[in-house]
Amino acid sequence: MCRFTGLEDVEYRKVAAALQRMTNMIPRKPRIGQIPPLNKEQKQMLLESLRFDQIDSRQMTIKKAHAKTCKWLLEKSEFLDWLNATKLVEHHGFLWIKGNPGTGKSTLMKFALASARKMMKDKIIISFFFNARGEDLEKSTVGMYRSLLLQLLERIPELQDIFDSLGLTTLSSSGHHQWSVEPLKELFMQAIQSLGRFSLVCFIDALDECNELQIRDMVSLFESIGGLAVSAGIQFQICFSSRHYPHISIQKGLDLVLEAQEGHNQDITNYLDSELKIGHSKLAEQIRGELQEKASGVFMWVVLVVQILNKEHDEGRIHAL
């Protein structure tokens, strides 16, 4: 007989999560008046209804990192600690990359995502990139939850049983389902709690490109999920990226400020050495030094200025450099 101090007791959470996973595996016959479970076709219809046209638009438009950039991230202590399963109790699986506008956060996130897919073959990798200039679903947490759930349920089909919790008696013949944020949040939490032996790594880029109230609500939910996952022994890791504002505090997690990283500044140096085609005269080296200083870590500015300088040089206007 086990006794617990209350619902927040860590040991209670562990036992409750384990029991939930076991009971979810038991086939049940509906009681009289009880809504029967959804069949395979109905679950597939709901799965497809999570999909939307612009689901990967932002990620696809982000340019791939320059060959000589971003690799420093994979050796950073914060990144390595985030990946270390034995340290989950310390940071609850949170890594938050922050930086000024134009520093290259999205490029770094795309690099980290691609690296994770190469290196972490034993884990489920999912992602979402917010896009303030896109359609409504590209810049809302409704779109984010739909995307993350779709990726997760496609990778682990047995988790599609969570659709039964919606309590739906009918489905539109067209397969269309009107999703709102609360049932999506509940489904996502259930999915994470039912992961069992699976490990999940999630990348979410540009939180600042979504409504602040929505993001605060989302971060709060992820904090709850992170705590429950640690208590239940579930491996769940989340990497956010955003500007410094709006500032949202979390109780546990790792921070990495992009413009303060030596590796990031070296990336700019490497980019200038590789892409600024104005020779290596004394004037050219002086220009490279000035660019590095004036950039203040803003990679986008460097890229734009390099294009201008290369054009001026190619057209013979050396004095304009």
Side-chain angles (χ1 to χ4, degrees):
M1 186 68 180
C2 297
R3 296 182 180 180
F4 308 104
T5 58
L7 295 177
E8 299 302 316
D9 189 309
V10 171
E11 295 303 317
Y12 170 80
R13 288 183 174 184
K14 289 181 182 178
V15 173
L19 289 173
Q20 184 177 30
R21 288 198 301 273
M22 288 188 283
T23 56
N24 285 343
M25 297 170 65
I26 301 173
R28 299 179 180 86
K29 291 184 179 180
R31 299 174 183 171
I32 297 174
Q34 185 180 18
I35 298 172
L38 300 171
N39 60 40
K40 186 176 180 180
E41 290 73 22
Q42 289 173 318
K43 290 174 184 175
Q44 186 61 36
M45 286 173 63
L46 283 171
L47 184 69
E48 287 302 317
S49 72
L50 292 169
R51 199 183 306 276
F52 55 95
D53 290 341
Q54 308 84 14
I55 201 163
D56 291 320
S57 293
R58 174 57 182 152
Q59 184 185 334
M60 298 302 291
T61 58
I62 298 168
K63 287 187 177 182
K64 185 179 178 181
H66 188 271
K68 296 182 179 180
T69 63
C70 296
K71 293 182 177 67
W72 58 269
L73 176 67
L74 306 181
E75 299 175 358
K76 279 295 296 182
S77 59
E78 292 90 345
F79 188 79
L80 295 173
D81 285 348
W82 173 62
L83 293 178
N84 190 339
T86 65
K87 295 190 175 183
L88 281 174
V89 70
E90 298 174 19
H91 52 67
H92 282 198
F94 281 89
L95 173 64
W96 202 322
I97 298 174
K98 299 178 181 180
N100 289 324
T103 46
K105 299 180 296 297
S106 294
T107 300
L108 187 67
M109 285 290 280
K110 187 169 183 175
F111 169 83
L113 174 61
S115 299
R117 286 173 173 161
K118 288 179 184 177
M119 299 186 303
M120 307 176 195
K121 299 294 186 181
D122 58 332
K123 298 187 178 185
I124 307 298
I125 312 292
I126 61 177
S127 65
F128 187 75
F129 286 63
F130 282 105
N131 181 15
R133 295 173 296 283
E135 303 294 329
D136 286 346
L137 288 174
E138 295 180 76
K139 53 187 175 185
S140 69
T141 52
V142 168
M144 181 205 71
Y145 288 123
R146 284 174 60 170
S147 175
L148 296 181
L149 276 169
L150 177 65
Q151 296 170 65
L152 183 54
L153 300 184
E154 283 186 328
R155 291 290 305 275
I156 313 176
E158 53 263 44
L159 290 183
Q160 293 174 25
D161 288 345
I162 62 174
F163 284 137
D164 290 333
S165 68
L166 293 171
L168 298 176
T169 54
T170 59
L171 278 173
S172 167
S173 59
S174 66
H176 177 74
H177 181 75
Q178 190 67 40
W179 292 103
S180 58
V181 71
E182 290 304 322
L184 287 168
K185 287 165 58 178
E186 181 59 33
L187 287 176
F188 190 71
M189 178 172 274
Q190 286 185 44
I192 303 302
Q193 290 179 303
S194 304
L195 279 173
R197 69 184 188 281
F198 294 102
S199 298
L200 179 66
V201 181
C202 181
F203 293 87
I204 302 180
D205 180 54
L207 270 60
D208 51 279
E209 297 197 26
C210 178
N211 175 273
E212 182 179 344
L213 291 178
Q214 291 184 33
I215 289 299
R216 287 188 178 277
D217 182 66
M218 181 269 282
V219 171
S220 177
L221 176 72
F222 274 73
E223 280 197 284
S224 298
I225 292 174
L228 290 171
V230 168
S231 299
I234 294 170
Q235 287 200 30
F236 171 61
Q237 289 148 290
I238 176 80
C239 180
F240 292 143
S241 84
S242 71
R243 297 181 181 183
H244 295 288
Y245 299 98
H247 180 76
I248 301 174
S249 299
I250 56 175
Q251 287 189 333
K252 293 195 175 184
L254 299 165
D255 276 351
L256 195 155
V257 177
L258 192 50
E259 57 267 21
Q261 303 304 313
E262 183 180 340
H264 177 67
N265 291 321
Q266 184 60 47
D267 280 354
I268 293 178
T269 300
N270 293 343
Y271 183 84
L272 288 171
D273 288 342
S274 174
E275 299 302 316
L276 186 56
K277 311 292 177 59
I278 61 172
H280 292 276
S281 65
K282 185 177 180 180
L283 174 61
E285 294 308 316
Q286 179 186 337
I287 289 171
R288 285 187 174 87
E290 288 186 16
L291 281 175
Q292 183 87 38
E293 183 180 349
K294 289 181 179 180
S296 299
V298 181
F299 215 121
M300 185 182 294
W301 181 83
V302 175
V303 172
L304 295 173
V305 172
V306 164
Q307 291 174 0
I308 295 169
L309 293 178
N310 283 341
K311 184 174 184 298
E312 294 293 319
H313 182 268
D314 289 347
E315 294 178 358
R317 290 194 287 270
I318 308 299
H319 65 280
L321 298 183

